[in-house]
Amino acid sequence: MGRLVHTGVFEISTSSHTDFVNVTPLVRNFVERSGVREGLCVVYVPHTTAAVFINEGADPDVVRDIAYKLNTLVEWDDPNYRHMEGNSAAHIKSALMGNSRVIPIAGGKLLLGTWEAIFFAEFDGPRRRKLIVTLIGE
């Protein structure tokens, strides 16, 4: 079998200013339908005020706590911000969280930990956003 590369672009709708969307089922389904048995899954967010991260998906309080702490660490209306659009906090949060993650694939499945989930993080919503998933493997 040769090297396979599959890319999917998915639309994510967010419903609040700060919003975390569990995209694990979407990514898992894409991997399982792709035919890639062994390789890497790259999850990428092409927005400067959004991010992607992996953390516990079983208890919704975990992501609530992450949002709470980010909002206390990075104030929305700091008078020292210079960015003219007024969304500097969203850019800072995105930079802190990161815009991509790489997850191994084995046996046609994502190798996430027992409690791990993939989250799309919105920091300047609500909006319609893109999530790009690229699979590289065999």
Side-chain angles (χ1 to χ4, degrees):
M1 187 174 214
R3 185 179 78 167
L4 299 173
V5 177
H6 294 279
T7 298
V9 179
F10 302 94
E11 187 172 281
I12 307 296
S13 292
T14 60
S15 58
S16 59
H17 195 263
T18 298
D19 194 10
F20 296 155
V21 179
N22 186 336
V23 295
T24 310
L26 181 149
V27 176
R28 184 174 282 135
N29 186 41
F30 183 66
V31 169
E32 290 174 0
R33 288 182 299 120
S34 72
V36 173
R37 304 289 301 150
E38 307 292 327
L40 298 173
C41 172
V42 180
V43 182
Y44 173 73
V45 174
H47 304 286
T48 61
T49 57
V52 64
F53 68 97
I54 296 172
N55 213 296
E56 182 174 332
D59 181 355
D61 285 337
V62 172
V63 292
R64 283 191 203 110
D65 291 346
I66 291 170
Y68 163 75
K69 188 46 76 173
L70 281 171
N71 287 331
T72 59
L73 291 171
V74 183
E75 298 174 18
W76 186 259
D77 57 357
D78 186 317
N80 294 306
Y81 292 150
R82 309 270 316 248
H83 182 51
M84 300 283 292
E85 291 180 23
N87 62 352
S88 289
H91 288 284
I92 293 166
K93 291 174 189 178
S94 172
L96 290 172
M97 298 296 283
N99 65 349
S100 67
R101 293 293 183 263
V102 177
I103 304 130
I105 300 168
K109 308 263 184 214
L110 291 171
L111 291 183
L112 289 170
T114 301
W115 307 110
E116 287 185 323
I118 306 162
F119 291 93
F120 179 94
E122 173 66 70
F123 299 118
D124 196 20
R127 293 185 184 227
R128 293 169 77 121
R129 302 287 201 156
K130 289 182 181 162
L131 180 74
I132 300 171
V133 180
T134 298
L135 310 177
I136 305 164
E138 299 181 348

